Amino acid sequence: MLVSLRWLRELCPVDASVSEISQRLSLAGLEVEAVDEKGRGLAGVVVAEVRAKAPHPKRDKLTLVRVFDGGDELDVVCGASNVPEPGGRVLFARPGAVLPNGMDIAVRKVGGVESNGMICSEAELDIGSDAEGIFVLDSDDGAQPGSPVADALDLHDFILDIGLTPNRPDCLGHVGIARELGVLFGVGYAPRKAAGPPRTFTAGASFEAGQPTTKLGPLWDTEAEGVDAPDLPGVSVEIVDGDRCPRYGAALVAGVSVAPSPFWLRYRLHNLGLRALSNVVDATNLILLEWGHPIHGFDLHRLRGSRVVVRLATEGERMATLDEVERTFTGDDLLICDGEGPVAVAGVMGGLESEIRDETQDVLIECAYFDPRSIRRTSRRLGLHTDSSHRFERGVDPEAIPQVLASAASLIAELGGGAVATTAIDCIARPHDPRSIRLRPARAAQLLGTPVSDEESLRILESLGCRIVEQSGDAITAEAPSWRPDLQREVDLIEEVARVRGYDQIPTAVPRVHPSESGTPGLLKTVDALRDAAVTAGLYEAVNYGFLSIDDLRKARVSTDAVTLANPLSEERAVMRTSLMPGLVGAATRAQRHGAREARLFEIARSFRPSGDVLPIEETTLAIVLAGQRSGWIGGEQSFDLYDGKGVIEAILAGVLGRTPTLAPRDVPAYMHPKRAAVVTLASRPVGFVGEIHPDVADDLELIGRVVYAELDVDALYQISEELGPTQARGLPKFPAVTRDIAMLVREEFTAGEIADALSEASSGLAESVTLFDLYRGDQIPAGHRSVAFRVTYRDPEATLTDKRVDKVHASLAKVARDRFEATIR
């Protein structure tokens, strides 16, 4: 939310510096994230008077302009087509000036003619969005040549960027922020009346058409000149669905002339992030920024039948919105209609056919209160998030409609030269019912940890706009103001007391910790250890939603027998995950889509299966994904493969349990590659699997290249850790080791793991390790066979091994390989 400090001071006369205001707002929960000072950075840009102009001698589209900058007459080459006649005043950047866009102004030759500076547009000076021509000052502006542009145009302001939480819709306009300042600084802010329009007329029954009305005149702070009522069609307003639209107001301004807005208005809108369009449209945007209450202007003569009907759409009804997109509506969308069909999407966007145009003369102003949930659903379904929907779906002030209408009508009449009808239609289908809340100062003191008196509570509540209904011995009953839909419970009022005081006034105390007698549960210790080990292995932790869609599960080939949510956030979050695979692999997909060369991710979380009972079955899993290219010292980059996953699994389990797992080619999930995946076993039981994702599944999940995925059963690892007990440190060996290699040809059906286990068993306890270091398949190897080579490390913890003893044991290993595996020793 961008806020003009100058505008705030116009609404609430706070005598404090910008830093003091920023700090106080932030301490009250309205965080000022940035402050941008306007009017700076324009040194060297001044008002200049045009003394003469002539065509460029060589360039048809350029003009030679002689300007007087208050000190000298200078010749400038200008490419704009709107250079004024002599006597006109422009904005001139002298040589040496630096524009906000970073452009350095210097003496340059343009088409062979020396140009001593630059005549600027408002876009080049960042004081507006118009880049079509140079900025020409109005003839009645009293700025003298040589006046700095910031002073001449009164550009000085500070723009505060305030981060608002969704529960504070009252602060989505300058009136709300000014009200807050009044409370925080004790200024006693009161909403100002709208300045009276120059002319008014009494519309009579022709406009009101028997509708409930409100008088706008008493809301103005000055008298206006009365004029004869123009000949206008009667207008009626009908609210068909009062639950969706509890209140609808309409005011009329007749005889306007649509034209560009004055500079002060264009400049204010520009600083607050909006583009100026025309005086009437800009006035509606300014009212939105002032009150935080969206309004809409209709061309009265484009409302067919002179009727306004607020109703739900019929299924399939269509209308083109202001963005020139034809939209189709459902029966849940609220529309503003005329006598023949829709003219606006209520609270979201106006219709193209009834928009304000250059020929518009009579404007019907809409100011309404719509049900926030209705606007939110329509906005999301249509994919239209606008400034209006942003405010309506959070909740606007239903009681401010007459004041907003008066301000809007007055401003449009002032800018467009029209006359305002002194009465406005005000249809109330469901009156606002203020909420009564009971506040106990003793309870506030208990929650805030500091004394709160009855007097302070009363003062704060009244300053916030609450009406005190009752004050008993230990409690205060107050009605929440209509602009604060977030105040619903006692704790909300207690929070207001803390905010107005300042959160920094809450005393800081270190809480007392009551340690559990049993300490941290063992499963949590195992989870923490696995997380640390995964990070040590070079992985990055991911956190994904526990909710997915059935289509996500189906594409990943995981179980679709899922727990369905009764009230899902959306169709994409309709069921609970049955596996971590779709979410974690989806994170890798997004990383690849954004150009990441590799993704090394892990997640420790729960998956869910229906149990037939109230609560689902929960399983805790460590999931790992390796995607992209593995950096290598030799041979350049290569895709991750099964052995990368195996290495990560071994590193994690060795770090947590001090044991090395084995891989066995058993059945793996259907989404894994049938030939490049294996089951992970530890302590003679399966604890997970690792391998490459099936290519078909990888295509459906939009993965690039070969992707490795692994899962470990955390509950099974915890049980094994309990059985093994704490990892014991071993002393350094006293005697040296001896290594021998053994290579053999074996059939494909025998795994390297079972051969290594057999060799270890046959070593009479002397084999400290048996490690596969080579595997070969090729033309010289018989079909159905492969060559494997193991490195055996021998060590006797009690004595130094001799070659004779090692040779004898090594020969027994070769015999076991021949007898059990029909191996040919090489």
Side-chain angles (χ1 to χ4, degrees), residues 390-412:
H390 184 81
R391 288 162 172 80
F392 276 123
E393 66 186 38
R394 284 159 173 77
V396 298
D397 182 4
E399 297 295 292
I401 286 176
Q403 291 174 302
V404 176
L405 278 175
S407 293
S410 173
L411 183 60
I412 290 176

PDB file of all heavy atoms in Angstrom, residues 390-412:
ATOM      1  N   HIS A 390      -9.648  -6.225  -4.493  1.00  0.00           N
ATOM      2  CA  HIS A 390      -8.727  -6.347  -3.363  1.00  0.00           C
ATOM      3  C   HIS A 390      -9.342  -5.751  -2.100  1.00  0.00           C
ATOM      4  O   HIS A 390      -9.172  -6.286  -0.999  1.00  0.00           O
ATOM      5  CB  HIS A 390      -7.417  -5.636  -3.695  1.00  0.00           C
ATOM      6  CG  HIS A 390      -6.364  -5.771  -2.649  1.00  0.00           C
ATOM      7  ND1 HIS A 390      -5.568  -6.894  -2.540  1.00  0.00           N
ATOM      8  CD2 HIS A 390      -5.970  -4.936  -1.650  1.00  0.00           C
ATOM      9  CE1 HIS A 390      -4.737  -6.739  -1.525  1.00  0.00           C
ATOM     10  NE2 HIS A 390      -4.961  -5.552  -0.967  1.00  0.00           N
ATOM     11  N   ARG A 391     -10.080  -4.659  -2.246  1.00  0.00           N
ATOM     12  CA  ARG A 391     -10.684  -4.001  -1.084  1.00  0.00           C
ATOM     13  C   ARG A 391     -12.027  -4.612  -0.709  1.00  0.00           C
ATOM     14  O   ARG A 391     -12.302  -4.843   0.465  1.00  0.00           O
ATOM     15  CB  ARG A 391     -10.824  -2.497  -1.370  1.00  0.00           C
ATOM     16  CG  ARG A 391      -9.471  -1.779  -1.350  1.00  0.00           C
ATOM     17  CD  ARG A 391      -9.517  -0.438  -2.044  1.00  0.00           C
ATOM     18  NE  ARG A 391      -8.263   0.309  -1.847  1.00  0.00           N
ATOM     19  CZ  ARG A 391      -7.146   0.095  -2.549  1.00  0.00           C
ATOM     20  NH1 ARG A 391      -7.126  -0.843  -3.492  1.00  0.00           N
ATOM     21  NH2 ARG A 391      -6.062   0.802  -2.310  1.00  0.00           N
ATOM     22  N   PHE A 392     -12.855  -4.890  -1.711  1.00  0.00           N
ATOM     23  CA  PHE A 392     -14.171  -5.443  -1.401  1.00  0.00           C
ATOM     24  C   PHE A 392     -14.069  -6.822  -0.758  1.00  0.00           C
ATOM     25  O   PHE A 392     -14.867  -7.160   0.121  1.00  0.00           O
ATOM     26  CB  PHE A 392     -15.022  -5.532  -2.669  1.00  0.00           C
ATOM     27  CG  PHE A 392     -15.734  -4.254  -3.008  1.00  0.00           C
ATOM     28  CD1 PHE A 392     -15.554  -3.648  -4.240  1.00  0.00           C
ATOM     29  CD2 PHE A 392     -16.589  -3.654  -2.096  1.00  0.00           C
ATOM     30  CE1 PHE A 392     -16.208  -2.474  -4.564  1.00  0.00           C
ATOM     31  CE2 PHE A 392     -17.247  -2.474  -2.399  1.00  0.00           C
ATOM     32  CZ  PHE A 392     -17.058  -1.881  -3.639  1.00  0.00           C
ATOM     33  N   GLU A 393     -13.123  -7.645  -1.194  1.00  0.00           N
ATOM     34  CA  GLU A 393     -13.052  -8.990  -0.635  1.00  0.00           C
ATOM     35  C   GLU A 393     -12.462  -8.997   0.771  1.00  0.00           C
ATOM     36  O   GLU A 393     -12.501 -10.018   1.451  1.00  0.00           O
ATOM     37  CB  GLU A 393     -12.267  -9.918  -1.547  1.00  0.00           C
ATOM     38  CG  GLU A 393     -10.800  -9.619  -1.708  1.00  0.00           C
ATOM     39  CD  GLU A 393     -10.137 -10.507  -2.750  1.00  0.00           C
ATOM     40  OE1 GLU A 393     -10.763 -10.815  -3.791  1.00  0.00           O
ATOM     41  OE2 GLU A 393      -8.982 -10.898  -2.529  1.00  0.00           O
ATOM     42  N   ARG A 394     -11.914  -7.881   1.228  1.00  0.00           N
ATOM     43  CA  ARG A 394     -11.450  -7.767   2.604  1.00  0.00           C
ATOM     44  C   ARG A 394     -12.474  -7.053   3.491  1.00  0.00           C
ATOM     45  O   ARG A 394     -12.450  -7.216   4.704  1.00  0.00           O
ATOM     46  CB  ARG A 394     -10.102  -7.040   2.655  1.00  0.00           C
ATOM     47  CG  ARG A 394      -8.946  -7.925   2.212  1.00  0.00           C
ATOM     48  CD  ARG A 394      -7.738  -7.133   1.767  1.00  0.00           C
ATOM     49  NE  ARG A 394      -6.603  -8.009   1.502  1.00  0.00           N
ATOM     50  CZ  ARG A 394      -6.473  -8.743   0.410  1.00  0.00           C
ATOM     51  NH1 ARG A 394      -7.424  -8.718  -0.516  1.00  0.00           N
ATOM     52  NH2 ARG A 394      -5.419  -9.516   0.246  1.00  0.00           N
ATOM     53  N   GLY A 395     -13.353  -6.272   2.881  1.00  0.00           N
ATOM     54  CA  GLY A 395     -14.407  -5.613   3.626  1.00  0.00           C
ATOM     55  C   GLY A 395     -14.233  -4.109   3.682  1.00  0.00           C
ATOM     56  O   GLY A 395     -13.249  -3.619   4.235  1.00  0.00           O
ATOM     57  N   VAL A 396     -15.182  -3.350   3.108  1.00  0.00           N
ATOM     58  CA  VAL A 396     -15.156  -1.893   3.168  1.00  0.00           C
ATOM     59  C   VAL A 396     -16.164  -1.431   4.223  1.00  0.00           C
ATOM     60  O   VAL A 396     -16.898  -2.233   4.809  1.00  0.00           O
ATOM     61  CB  VAL A 396     -15.474  -1.269   1.789  1.00  0.00           C
ATOM     62  CG1 VAL A 396     -14.426  -1.689   0.771  1.00  0.00           C
ATOM     63  CG2 VAL A 396     -16.872  -1.678   1.325  1.00  0.00           C
ATOM     64  N   ASP A 397     -16.212  -0.139   4.455  1.00  0.00           N
ATOM     65  CA  ASP A 397     -17.091   0.421   5.483  1.00  0.00           C
ATOM     66  C   ASP A 397     -18.486   0.659   4.890  1.00  0.00           C
ATOM     67  O   ASP A 397     -18.672   1.548   4.061  1.00  0.00           O
ATOM     68  CB  ASP A 397     -16.500   1.742   5.986  1.00  0.00           C
ATOM     69  CG  ASP A 397     -17.329   2.379   7.089  1.00  0.00           C
ATOM     70  OD1 ASP A 397     -18.326   1.755   7.522  1.00  0.00           O
ATOM     71  OD2 ASP A 397     -16.978   3.480   7.524  1.00  0.00           O
ATOM     72  N   PRO A 398     -19.498  -0.109   5.322  1.00  0.00           N
ATOM     73  CA  PRO A 398     -20.838   0.081   4.734  1.00  0.00           C
ATOM     74  C   PRO A 398     -21.486   1.399   5.139  1.00  0.00           C
ATOM     75  O   PRO A 398     -22.348   1.908   4.419  1.00  0.00           O
ATOM     76  CB  PRO A 398     -21.629  -1.113   5.282  1.00  0.00           C
ATOM     77  CG  PRO A 398     -20.925  -1.505   6.538  1.00  0.00           C
ATOM     78  CD  PRO A 398     -19.481  -1.197   6.307  1.00  0.00           C
ATOM     79  N   GLU A 399     -21.067   1.965   6.268  1.00  0.00           N
ATOM     80  CA  GLU A 399     -21.687   3.192   6.745  1.00  0.00           C
ATOM     81  C   GLU A 399     -21.081   4.444   6.124  1.00  0.00           C
ATOM     82  O   GLU A 399     -21.584   5.545   6.340  1.00  0.00           O
ATOM     83  CB  GLU A 399     -21.560   3.272   8.273  1.00  0.00           C
ATOM     84  CG  GLU A 399     -22.291   2.164   9.020  1.00  0.00           C
ATOM     85  CD  GLU A 399     -23.794   2.253   8.818  1.00  0.00           C
ATOM     86  OE1 GLU A 399     -24.404   3.211   9.316  1.00  0.00           O
ATOM     87  OE2 GLU A 399     -24.357   1.373   8.127  1.00  0.00           O
ATOM     88  N   ALA A 400     -19.994   4.286   5.371  1.00  0.00           N
ATOM     89  CA  ALA A 400     -19.339   5.459   4.772  1.00  0.00           C
ATOM     90  C   ALA A 400     -19.894   5.810   3.410  1.00  0.00           C
ATOM     91  O   ALA A 400     -19.441   6.778   2.786  1.00  0.00           O
ATOM     92  CB  ALA A 400     -17.831   5.206   4.659  1.00  0.00           C
ATOM     93  N   ILE A 401     -20.886   5.056   2.908  1.00  0.00           N
ATOM     94  CA  ILE A 401     -21.364   5.256   1.545  1.00  0.00           C
ATOM     95  C   ILE A 401     -21.839   6.684   1.290  1.00  0.00           C
ATOM     96  O   ILE A 401     -21.460   7.291   0.272  1.00  0.00           O
ATOM     97  CB  ILE A 401     -22.452   4.209   1.210  1.00  0.00           C
ATOM     98  CG1 ILE A 401     -21.778   2.843   1.008  1.00  0.00           C
ATOM     99  CG2 ILE A 401     -23.246   4.592  -0.033  1.00  0.00           C
ATOM    100  CD1 ILE A 401     -22.735   1.697   0.770  1.00  0.00           C
ATOM    101  N   PRO A 402     -22.659   7.317   2.147  1.00  0.00           N
ATOM    102  CA  PRO A 402     -23.057   8.700   1.860  1.00  0.00           C
ATOM    103  C   PRO A 402     -21.882   9.667   1.781  1.00  0.00           C
ATOM    104  O   PRO A 402     -21.846  10.546   0.904  1.00  0.00           O
ATOM    105  CB  PRO A 402     -23.979   9.045   3.040  1.00  0.00           C
ATOM    106  CG  PRO A 402     -24.491   7.731   3.520  1.00  0.00           C
ATOM    107  CD  PRO A 402     -23.353   6.775   3.332  1.00  0.00           C
ATOM    108  N   GLN A 403     -20.888   9.513   2.692  1.00  0.00           N
ATOM    109  CA  GLN A 403     -19.732  10.417   2.661  1.00  0.00           C
ATOM    110  C   GLN A 403     -18.891  10.208   1.412  1.00  0.00           C
ATOM    111  O   GLN A 403     -18.412  11.171   0.799  1.00  0.00           O
ATOM    112  CB  GLN A 403     -18.876  10.196   3.907  1.00  0.00           C
ATOM    113  CG  GLN A 403     -19.537  10.652   5.198  1.00  0.00           C
ATOM    114  CD  GLN A 403     -18.699  10.280   6.397  1.00  0.00           C
ATOM    115  OE1 GLN A 403     -18.399   9.117   6.633  1.00  0.00           O
ATOM    116  NE2 GLN A 403     -18.293  11.284   7.153  1.00  0.00           N
ATOM    117  N   VAL A 404     -18.715   8.941   1.015  1.00  0.00           N
ATOM    118  CA  VAL A 404     -17.918   8.659  -0.191  1.00  0.00           C
ATOM    119  C   VAL A 404     -18.629   9.208  -1.417  1.00  0.00           C
ATOM    120  O   VAL A 404     -17.996   9.795  -2.316  1.00  0.00           O
ATOM    121  CB  VAL A 404     -17.669   7.144  -0.317  1.00  0.00           C
ATOM    122  CG1 VAL A 404     -16.930   6.831  -1.622  1.00  0.00           C
ATOM    123  CG2 VAL A 404     -16.868   6.625   0.868  1.00  0.00           C
ATOM    124  N   LEU A 405     -19.959   9.043  -1.489  1.00  0.00           N
ATOM    125  CA  LEU A 405     -20.705   9.582  -2.620  1.00  0.00           C
ATOM    126  C   LEU A 405     -20.575  11.102  -2.695  1.00  0.00           C
ATOM    127  O   LEU A 405     -20.393  11.677  -3.775  1.00  0.00           O
ATOM    128  CB  LEU A 405     -22.179   9.190  -2.498  1.00  0.00           C
ATOM    129  CG  LEU A 405     -22.568   7.796  -2.969  1.00  0.00           C
ATOM    130  CD1 LEU A 405     -24.034   7.532  -2.669  1.00  0.00           C
ATOM    131  CD2 LEU A 405     -22.289   7.608  -4.455  1.00  0.00           C
ATOM    132  N   ALA A 406     -20.669  11.771  -1.537  1.00  0.00           N
ATOM    133  CA  ALA A 406     -20.548  13.230  -1.529  1.00  0.00           C
ATOM    134  C   ALA A 406     -19.177  13.670  -2.007  1.00  0.00           C
ATOM    135  O   ALA A 406     -19.051  14.618  -2.807  1.00  0.00           O
ATOM    136  CB  ALA A 406     -20.813  13.760  -0.121  1.00  0.00           C
ATOM    137  N   SER A 407     -18.127  12.989  -1.532  1.00  0.00           N
ATOM    138  CA  SER A 407     -16.767  13.352  -1.961  1.00  0.00           C
ATOM    139  C   SER A 407     -16.585  13.118  -3.448  1.00  0.00           C
ATOM    140  O   SER A 407     -16.004  13.952  -4.162  1.00  0.00           O
ATOM    141  CB  SER A 407     -15.741  12.529  -1.173  1.00  0.00           C
ATOM    142  OG  SER A 407     -15.730  12.880   0.184  1.00  0.00           O
ATOM    143  N   ALA A 408     -17.085  11.984  -3.940  1.00  0.00           N
ATOM    144  CA  ALA A 408     -16.913  11.655  -5.350  1.00  0.00           C
ATOM    145  C   ALA A 408     -17.668  12.635  -6.237  1.00  0.00           C
ATOM    146  O   ALA A 408     -17.133  13.142  -7.233  1.00  0.00           O
ATOM    147  CB  ALA A 408     -17.382  10.227  -5.607  1.00  0.00           C
ATOM    148  N   ALA A 409     -18.927  12.916  -5.880  1.00  0.00           N
ATOM    149  CA  ALA A 409     -19.725  13.835  -6.695  1.00  0.00           C
ATOM    150  C   ALA A 409     -19.118  15.229  -6.706  1.00  0.00           C
ATOM    151  O   ALA A 409     -19.056  15.902  -7.754  1.00  0.00           O
ATOM    152  CB  ALA A 409     -21.157  13.870  -6.164  1.00  0.00           C
ATOM    153  N   SER A 410     -18.647  15.684  -5.546  1.00  0.00           N
ATOM    154  CA  SER A 410     -18.051  17.009  -5.456  1.00  0.00           C
ATOM    155  C   SER A 410     -16.801  17.107  -6.321  1.00  0.00           C
ATOM    156  O   SER A 410     -16.600  18.089  -7.047  1.00  0.00           O
ATOM    157  CB  SER A 410     -17.719  17.317  -3.998  1.00  0.00           C
ATOM    158  OG  SER A 410     -16.994  18.521  -3.877  1.00  0.00           O
ATOM    159  N   LEU A 411     -15.942  16.066  -6.267  1.00  0.00           N
ATOM    160  CA  LEU A 411     -14.684  16.106  -7.017  1.00  0.00           C
ATOM    161  C   LEU A 411     -14.933  16.037  -8.517  1.00  0.00           C
ATOM    162  O   LEU A 411     -14.303  16.768  -9.299  1.00  0.00           O
ATOM    163  CB  LEU A 411     -13.786  14.955  -6.563  1.00  0.00           C
ATOM    164  CG  LEU A 411     -12.402  14.886  -7.193  1.00  0.00           C
ATOM    165  CD1 LEU A 411     -11.603  16.152  -6.908  1.00  0.00           C
ATOM    166  CD2 LEU A 411     -11.638  13.654  -6.685  1.00  0.00           C
ATOM    167  N   ILE A 412     -15.861  15.183  -8.946  1.00  0.00           N
ATOM    168  CA  ILE A 412     -16.143  15.066 -10.383  1.00  0.00           C
ATOM    169  C   ILE A 412     -16.726  16.365 -10.918  1.00  0.00           C
ATOM    170  O   ILE A 412     -16.375  16.830 -12.008  1.00  0.00           O
ATOM    171  CB  ILE A 412     -17.091  13.877 -10.636  1.00  0.00           C
ATOM    172  CG1 ILE A 412     -16.351  12.554 -10.386  1.00  0.00           C
ATOM    173  CG2 ILE A 412     -17.628  13.906 -12.072  1.00  0.00           C
ATOM    174  CD1 ILE A 412     -17.224  11.319 -10.503  1.00  0.00           C
TER     175      ILE A 412
END
